[in-house]
Structure formats: C-alpha cells, structure tokens
Amino acid sequence: MATGNYKTLITVLCCLLASCVKDKPDDVVRQTPFSGSKIYVVCEGRFMSGDASLYTYQPVPDSVFGDIYKSTNNQPLGDVFQSMVRIGDKLFLCINNSDKVVVLNASDWSQVASIPIPKPRYMMQVSALRAFVTSEYSSKVYVINPQSQSVTDTFSLPSTNTEGLGLYDNYAYICTWDTACNVLYKVDAGTGQLAQKITIAGSAPKDVMMDKYNLLWVLSGNKQQGKRAIFTRIDPSSGNIVGQYQFPADADVIKPVFNTTRDTLYFIEIDYNGGTVNNGIYRMPVTSLELPTQPFIAAKQYQYFYALGIDPITGNIFVGDPKGFIQKGSVFIYQPDGKQVKSFSVGMGPGHFYFDE
C-alpha cells in the first residue's frame, strides 16, 4: 500500500508554503501523444479512494497531459497506482489495491488487457517472453508473458512482501520488504529457481539497483517497525558486502535512483509531518565513504517529497510533492545544479516517474 497514506495528513498550510513556478494550466488533456520523449508521472492516489491517475509531461512541445488513462478509456484507472514499465509497444501499470496490471498501447494509451494479480508492486522484464511482478503481503513472484499479457507461472521466496527488482547476468535480484529478512534473493531469471541468499547489512530490503561499477546497492529498513535504514553495496559476482551506510535512527529513506552515468546516488529522506530535519532530496557519489548530512534540495517546513527521478537525456531532476495527499500534487523540475526551472500540477499523490525516451 501507499506508505504516505498511512501517515497523518499534514495541513493545508503545506500547499501555501511549498514553492511553485506556475507556467501551465492544470490538466491539459490530449487524446493522442506527440512523438518524442515523454516523462510519465505515476499518481498513486489516496488509498481506498480509487483516484489513481497517469499524467505525462513532454518537454517538446512543453505540454502536460492530465489523467490520460481516464480521458482515453472513459473509466477510472483504479486504486493505488504503484508503478509502471514499458515493454515493447505496451505500457504495464501495476494498480496495487485493485489487484491488477493494466496494459496500454504506448501509441495511444488505449487499454488492451487487464491482468489479475494480487497487490502488484513492481514489474521487470527478464526476457522476451518473461516478466516478473512482485506482490505485497505475499512471498510469490508472478511471471507474465508480455506478448500474451497473461500470467504463465509463479514462484515463491522464503520471505513475504516481494518488492524491488534488479537484473544482471541472467539473474534477478529480488527484495522482500519483510522485517525478519536480512538477505537479498538471487533467482535464475529463466527458471525462477533460487540461486543464492545474499546477506545484507540491515533488514527489510526494499530497493535494489546497480551502479557504474556493476555493484549492487540495496536499500533496507522500515522506520515504522524500528528497522534502521541502511544502504548495502554488494559485489554480485561473489555476494560479498563491499560497503555499508547506516542512517540515523530518525531517517526514513525512500525512492533511491541513480543519475544517467550511475556514479551518483539520489534518494529521498521523508518526514511525513513536514519537519525540517531528515527531509528532502539527498545525493552522494557512489565512491563516497559516508552519507551526506545536508539535503541537496531541502523540503520546506510542512512539505515532504514522495517521488524522484533523473531524466536520462538532460540529467534534470524530477521531484514529486504529494501535498499531504489532501489535494492534487505538484512536480518540480531542477537542473543538475539544483536550480528549479519548472513546476506543474498533476494528480493525487505523485509517487514515481518513468522516462520514455
């Protein structure tokens, strides 16, 4: 479920104090996308409200398309839009609390299929005919055929809450956001067989990524359950830990991403109450020996950030402000030096970005 939706909603004051460079009207809707690069905004929506939405921003001709799924398909998307991925000419949208993966034509955003999967979280293609989908509350990983848009298999892991995914050298690396789990699971991408349990420095792993040196970074932790946030850097060839970075107990860390060259790590430290400590966008070189102590982009008082992405073409930093999940959110665009250059309004709870270049 949406982490932010479990928190106490902050007051409307956050919307008045949060910075905004307004240059476009809200919800500019167009039925057919322009050609060229697009940045999709996954708007999670409020839990149990059914107001998830998909927005897209196109740098050329500088346009925002609002709620494109609903405007194209004449129906709401569903409840809690968790993530999305493109495979070939199709977009696969994980709608968590609606228990489905919605499949769209990338060319016109029309729906072509709906795949029933309990509480889907993240999806990753592992071959032409296989894609893995993780599932909240479950130890299962679902296997989808992207061409037939159907579930063809499942396999189970020893822990529950299958979560973040990574792929390297024909192996899938799978996180299970389970407070009793202190390992990263290495799975044969072709068979789903468990190949190795790789010990991490913390517990409750939730995200896994690979840097420019082909080393894995695993973010673990669950502040609400008393599990401290930790980055573990791992050599996948040996499974050995080559670095670990432990956060202060009060830090709640989410949504890590790399820049285009994968030599700099960005992440959000989030304070759902909108405080001024451990709250903002942070960054660090992958060669750093310690965590940054000050935010690169600080959240203002009564504000927090919930989405983060790096444009692979421009290097611009996209940041989502959910405004406490009490009104439509905003997206801010920053240059690589941290200067804000644009903002625009999106749907409820912007949670992820997908760059379709």
Side-chain angles (χ1 to χ4, degrees):
M1 302 300 172
T3 305
N5 292 335
Y6 290 126
K7 311 299 174 186
T8 302
L9 298 179
I10 60 176
T11 67
V12 178
L13 184 59
C14 70
C15 308
L16 301 176
L17 296 180
S19 63
C20 180
V21 180
K22 190 74 174 176
D23 56 6
K24 288 286 179 184
D26 294 351
D27 294 355
V28 180
V29 179
R30 183 182 177 90
Q31 294 292 334
T32 304
F34 290 106
S35 60
S37 64
K38 308 171 189 66
I39 294 90
Y40 288 99
V41 186
V42 171
C43 296
E44 189 174 285
R46 293 165 295 189
F47 178 54
M48 296 295 290
S49 296
D51 54 359
S53 60
L54 177 61
Y55 278 58
T56 186
Y57 168 66
Q58 297 197 233
V60 179
D62 192 18
S63 298
V64 179
F65 301 158
D67 206 352
I68 59 176
Y69 175 86
K70 186 175 182 179
S71 67
T72 302
N73 297 282
N74 299 311
Q75 60 183 346
L77 182 55
D79 191 31
V80 185
F81 183 7
Q82 178 61 41
S83 65
M84 67 174 287
V85 67
R86 178 171 181 159
I87 301 177
D89 61 356
K90 299 293 189 292
L91 303 175
F92 292 78
L93 284 55
C94 293
I95 315 301
N96 178 269
N97 203 46
S98 293
D99 299 315
K100 64 183 180 180
V101 174
V102 173
V103 188
L104 309 181
N105 281 317
S107 60
D108 62 6
W109 303 320
S110 62
Q111 181 172 321
V112 296
S114 180
I115 308 169
I117 292 179
K119 301 296 179 287
R121 291 288 288 176
Y122 297 98
M123 181 170 174
M124 177 182 71
Q125 184 178 17
V126 299
S127 69
L129 299 178
R130 290 169 66 86
F132 291 169
V133 182
T134 55
S135 176
E136 190 174 21
Y137 306 130
S138 174
S139 62
K140 287 185 177 180
V141 175
Y142 291 78
V143 183
I144 285 179
N145 182 325
Q147 297 184 15
S148 66
Q149 292 104 48
S150 61
V151 175
T152 58
D153 197 6
T154 65
F155 60 89
S156 294
L157 297 173
S159 306
T160 59
N161 286 322
T162 56
E163 185 73 356
L165 298 155
L167 183 68
Y168 178 66
D169 197 22
N170 296 318
Y171 287 98
Y173 293 86
I174 305 176
C175 297
T176 53
W177 198 35
D178 180 341
T179 55
C181 178
N182 67 343
V183 299
L184 175 70
Y185 294 108
K186 180 179 179 180
V187 172
D188 188 304
T191 66
Q193 294 296 310
L194 180 60
Q196 187 180 5
K197 298 178 183 179
I198 301 174
T199 301
I200 62 173
S203 60
K206 53 186 176 179
D207 292 288
V208 57
M209 306 178 300
M210 179 164 281
D211 68 19
K212 67 175 293 185
Y213 302 105
N214 292 332
L215 296 174
L216 297 172
W217 288 71
V218 179
L219 173 61
S220 62
N222 186 329
K223 180 186 174 185
Q224 289 69 40
Q225 298 297 322
K227 300 298 182 181
R228 189 185 296 243
I230 298 177
F231 276 120
T232 308
R233 198 180 188 200
I234 297 168
D235 181 349
S237 63
S238 65
N240 293 332
I241 294 175
V242 296
Q244 54 184 290
Y245 305 81
Q246 181 171 275
F247 286 86
D250 291 339
D252 199 349
V253 185
I254 63 171
K255 313 289 178 71
V257 297
F258 282 122
N259 64 345
T260 304
T261 52
R262 294 184 295 142
D263 60 6
T264 303
L265 177 64
Y266 291 75
F267 54 89
I268 300 172
E269 290 190 28
I270 187 168
D271 180 348
Y272 293 100
N273 295 313
T276 56
V277 179
N278 300 322
N279 196 17
I281 307 299
Y282 293 73
R283 69 174 182 178
M284 60 182 284
V286 298
T287 54
S288 177
L289 299 179
E290 57 186 21
L291 292 166
T293 57
Q294 297 298 320
F296 174 61
I297 300 169
K300 293 179 171 59
Q301 191 170 18
Y302 307 114
Q303 179 189 40
Y304 62 83
F305 300 134
Y306 195 63
L308 175 62
I310 310 294
D311 189 324
I313 292 179
T314 65
N316 285 344
I317 304 159
F318 283 67
V319 176
D321 178 353
K323 296 187 176 180
F325 286 85
I326 57 175
Q327 63 171 295
K328 286 187 174 183
S330 293
V331 170
F332 305 110
I333 305 177
Y334 300 85
Q335 292 176 341
D337 62 3
K339 178 183 178 182
Q340 185 181 326
V341 294
K342 185 178 179 64
S343 72
F344 54 90
S345 178
V346 291
M348 186 70 68
H352 285 282
F353 300 103
Y354 179 79
F355 297 87
D356 191 11
E357 309 297 348

